[in-house]
Amino acid sequence: MTILTFTALVSIGAVLAGLLGSLTGLGGGVVLVPLLTLLFKVDIRYAVGASLVSVIATSSGAAAAYVKEGFSNIRVGIFLEIATTFGALLGAFLATRISTQAIAIVFGVMLLISAYLASRPRVPRATDQVPDRLATRLRMNGSFPTEDGIRKYFVRRVPAGFTIMFGAGALSGLLGIGSGALKVLAMDQAMRIPFKVSTTTSNFMIGVTAAASAGVYLSRGYVDPGLAMPVMLGVLAGSFLGARILPKANTQWLRLVFGAVILFLAIQMIYKGATGGI
Amino acid sequence: MPWTDRNVENVIGNVLRYGVLGSAAIVIFGGAIFLARHGHEPIPYYVFHGEPAEFRRIPGILKAAASFRGRGIIQLGLLLLIATPIARVAFSIVGFMAEKDRLYAVFAMIVCMVLLYSLVAA
């Protein structure tokens, strides 16, 4: 196969990954790395480098829109970015130390967890009206616009959220993904931040987290320009398209299909990793 | 809302938007040169050999881009992309300072330093 054909095929794959990633809210990276390694037989280190670059592009593109809407909590975002960036540095250094087989297995396990988290129905809960001491001292409590006016919320369990965020950062740096699912889990479940605020703040944080490990990847030679080019442009185009059709899309059905695809990819990654096929 | 100054939010939104669009444009330009020159060659991505030093470090990338090499220009676009979130954090330091929020200005500085360390020193 020539570089031209390869670039065209990878572009198509990246557009699909970006489209599915934005429609399901899981991000393009989770399908992209398995796609590149399993289907295109690209070395996982190049795949992870290219994926990470595309993560920065989509996150920054989406955050540009959300920042103005007043949903994301910028204080919570900056504070938790301390955890995610240190985690991302650690993850990126780990990626240069451990074997590609081990990375593939960790990737597969992470896919399984993401599929589980994404398929779980979200139970709306009553918001806590009790302020938390630490969160209040850190002035994290916020408000956001809803259909019935401005709604206030109290942030809780900051240390738990901070700890999960460190893990999310490390996974992002190790696997070249945004780990948005884990970030949302930390804010929505642990810190009791409203879902809409959690998802937009997570998006706002993903680019910064990825930038922390991108420098390490670049200097270690993991970012191949010829591969990163179609991946970044394709995922960016796919996620813009996704954002356009999201209001009309049947996400219930899509999540089911996406869940099945992820399950399949997870098994493949773990199998290939365990048998040394990667 | 965390920021009383709407201008800072607008500036940040624009930094992100133009950073991404600008880097995509540079990557497309570099990609076109790369494909025109190397499109017919067989693909080299199966085996990991690491990028040559000129595509790893900022000075090497600038040099390769300045001599109109496709891959050098792509890396330059990717550098701009990586710099975009860093610029965002840097602007938020200014935003917090303007609000006289010292604690969060320090938090943003810590994040900014980790990012710069990764890009320059790692």
Side-chain angles (χ1 to χ4, degrees):
Chain A
M1 201 182 334
T2 64
I3 289 180
L4 198 61
T5 328
F6 180 83
T7 305
L9 291 175
V10 168
S11 301
I12 296 169
V15 170
L16 287 176
L19 186 63
L20 274 176
S22 85
L23 287 179
T24 55
L26 278 176
V30 293
V31 241
L32 203 67
V33 174
L35 185 78
L36 288 174
T37 50
L38 298 172
L39 190 66
F40 291 102
K41 311 281 179 213
V42 171
D43 187 288
I44 195 165
R45 286 165 285 196
Y46 284 140
V48 161
S51 165
L52 194 74
V53 164
S54 76
V55 164
I56 303 179
T58 44
S59 161
S60 301
Y66 290 137
V67 136
K68 285 187 179 174
E69 287 168 12
F71 286 114
S72 41
N73 186 324
I74 294 169
R75 281 207 172 81
V76 168
I78 290 280
F79 180 74
L80 294 176
E81 274 166 8
I82 298 175
T84 61
T85 49
F86 274 106
L89 268 187
L90 175 79
F93 280 119
L94 268 180
T96 63
R97 296 274 188 285
I98 68 174
S99 71
T100 51
Q101 282 88 0
I103 295 177
I105 293 172
V106 175
F107 204 106
V109 172
M110 183 281 310
L111 281 177
L112 288 179
I113 296 171
S114 303
Y116 168 73
L117 289 178
S119 65
R120 218 174 35 156
R122 215 165 44 76
V123 195
R125 53 154 195 272
T127 31
D128 272 310
Q129 289 302 323
V130 201
D132 173 274
R133 260 183 63 201
L134 184 58
T136 307
R137 280 193 62 184
L138 289 169
R139 281 164 297 179
M140 283 176 171
N141 300 322
S143 56
F144 67 105
T146 64
E147 281 165 11
D148 349 291
I150 300 288
R151 211 188 100 198
K152 285 187 171 180
Y153 57 88
F154 293 109
V155 176
R156 309 186 58 78
R157 295 198 285 183
V158 178
F162 195 83
T163 310
I164 303 174
M165 282 295 177
F166 182 81
L171 274 181
S172 167
L174 180 65
L175 306 175
I177 54 168
S179 54
L182 204 54
K183 286 192 175 80
V184 171
L185 182 83
M187 286 187 274
D188 173 56
Q189 300 288 320
M191 301 175 77
R192 298 296 160 110
I193 298 172
F195 191 69
K196 181 80 187 166
V197 178
S198 296
T199 49
T200 47
T201 308
S202 157
N203 221 316
F204 172 87
M205 297 173 61
I206 285 172
V208 172
T209 310
S213 33
V216 178
Y217 278 10
L218 192 69
S219 65
R220 297 295 159 101
Y222 283 31
V223 181
D224 184 277
L227 182 66
M229 179 246 310
V231 166
M232 172 226 167
L233 295 174
V235 171
L236 198 57
S239 52
F240 271 123
L241 199 64
R244 278 278 171 90
I245 61 176
L246 186 59
K248 289 170 258 168
N250 181 352
T251 49
Q252 200 76 38
W253 182 81
L254 258 171
R255 291 177 88 88
L256 211 65
V257 175
F258 197 58
V261 170
I262 283 189
L263 194 66
F264 172 75
L265 293 175
I267 294 165
Q268 286 282 312
M269 290 296 275
I270 294 171
Y271 175 75
K272 290 271 166 82
T275 55
I278 269 180
Chain B
M1 276 282 85
W3 265 327
T4 43
D5 193 353
R6 297 292 298 184
N7 284 332
V8 178
E9 280 183 24
N10 283 336
V11 168
I12 288 179
N14 285 334
V15 164
L16 291 171
R17 192 169 302 113
Y18 294 121
V20 172
L21 290 178
S23 94
I26 296 173
V27 168
I28 291 173
F29 179 62
I33 296 178
F34 168 65
L35 288 178
R37 288 189 189 152
H38 300 281
H40 58 279
E41 293 169 17
I43 44 169
Y45 312 119
Y46 292 150
V47 190
F48 184 78
H49 44 75
E51 291 309 300
E54 55 178 338
F55 297 140
R56 290 186 188 198
R57 303 268 170 195
I58 298 174
I61 293 172
L62 292 178
K63 215 170 164 186
S67 50
F68 268 86
R69 297 188 47 200
R71 275 169 292 178
I73 297 173
I74 295 176
Q75 292 301 69
L76 183 69
L78 300 183
L79 265 185
L80 176 64
L81 187 68
I82 298 172
T84 301
I86 304 181
R88 202 214 74 195
V89 176
F91 272 106
S92 67
I93 300 175
V94 178
F96 287 125
M97 296 267 238
E99 266 193 16
K100 300 200 169 34
D101 188 340
R102 285 230 197 100
L103 181 66
Y104 275 86
V106 170
F107 287 160
M109 276 180 213
I110 295 172
V111 174
C112 204
M113 279 188 305
V114 176
L115 293 176
L116 288 175
Y117 166 79
S118 158
L119 191 61
V120 180

